[in-house]
């Protein structure tokens, strides 16, 4: 409620390793002006590489008592992975949201961990996720609408070019998609 009257909002998920995509979609729902397809998921249904079920739409719908539909800047980067990419994919579909920064990490396959008797373990992708426009996320990443380069040397020098870009944007928030 404290941001309800703000002219715009900046969300920074650049270092978010994910968690639960249902929570990600609930949060995205606080920004959704209508129900939209947030992504498509084909779930693994057999042992072979191509054993995948039919595409199922993952949807984002308005959630909560009100939705923030003014301009939103979502800061993303290579460490935005897993359900954070589900969130980014959902937010990317909202017309008042602009993704800024670097491509996401490209790791949104809902991995399942398996153990071997030797004590070793492995993970296997349990689904194949694409954005609504067909972009394969796993290994390919979600690009921002506005790319802003930031190198480790920038951070070592105490500079954050993406956050600097967001601060300039915040002075006059508007949708900044090319």
């Amino acid at each position: 409620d404290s941001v309800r009257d703000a002219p715009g909002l900046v969300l920074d998920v650049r270092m978010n390793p994910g968690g639960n995509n249902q929570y990600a979609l609930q949060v995205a729902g606080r920004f959704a002006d209508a129900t939209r397809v947030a992504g498509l998921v084909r779930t693994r249904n057999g042992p072979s590489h191509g054993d995948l079920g039919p595409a199922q739409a993952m949807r984002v719908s308005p959630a909560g008592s009100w939705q923030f539909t003014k301009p939103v800047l979502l800061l993303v980067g290579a460490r935005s992975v897993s359900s954070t990419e589900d969130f980014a994919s959902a937010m990317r579909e909202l017309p008042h949201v602009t993704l800024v920064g670097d491509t996401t990490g490209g790791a949104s396959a809902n991995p399942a961990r398996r153990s071997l008797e030797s004590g070793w373990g492995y993970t296997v992708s349990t689904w194949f996720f694409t954005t609504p426009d067909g972009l394969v996320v796993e290994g390919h990443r979600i690009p921002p609408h506005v790319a802003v380069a930031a190198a480790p040397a920038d951070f070592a020098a105490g500079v954050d070019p993406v956050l600097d870009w967001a601060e300039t944007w915040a002075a006059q928030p508007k949708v900044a998609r090319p």
Side-chain angles (χ1 to χ4, degrees), residues 39-158:
L40 300 169
V41 175
R42 294 180 62 205
T43 303
R44 185 163 302 288
N45 64 4
S48 295
H49 180 73
D51 289 344
L52 299 166
Q56 300 291 318
M58 185 170 61
R59 299 185 191 286
V60 60
S61 297
S65 59
W66 61 275
Q67 292 73 47
F68 192 92
T69 57
K70 297 173 192 166
V72 174
L73 203 62
L74 181 62
L75 310 184
V76 295
R79 290 191 179 170
S80 304
V81 296
S82 193
S83 63
T84 304
E85 289 178 296
D86 299 339
F87 178 71
S89 182
M91 296 293 280
R92 184 175 178 248
E93 295 306 308
L94 304 178
H96 58 287
V97 177
T98 304
L99 275 64
V100 174
D102 195 2
T103 57
T104 63
S108 183
N110 195 26
R113 216 171 256 298
R114 304 286 189 252
S115 298
L116 300 172
E117 289 182 24
S118 64
W120 287 68
Y122 65 95
T123 60
V124 61
S125 299
T126 63
W127 70 26
F128 182 81
F129 178 73
T130 63
T131 61
D133 58 353
L135 177 68
V136 176
V137 175
E138 188 70 20
H140 296 274
R141 308 169 182 220
I142 298 173
H145 295 110
V146 178
V148 176
D154 293 323
F155 297 110

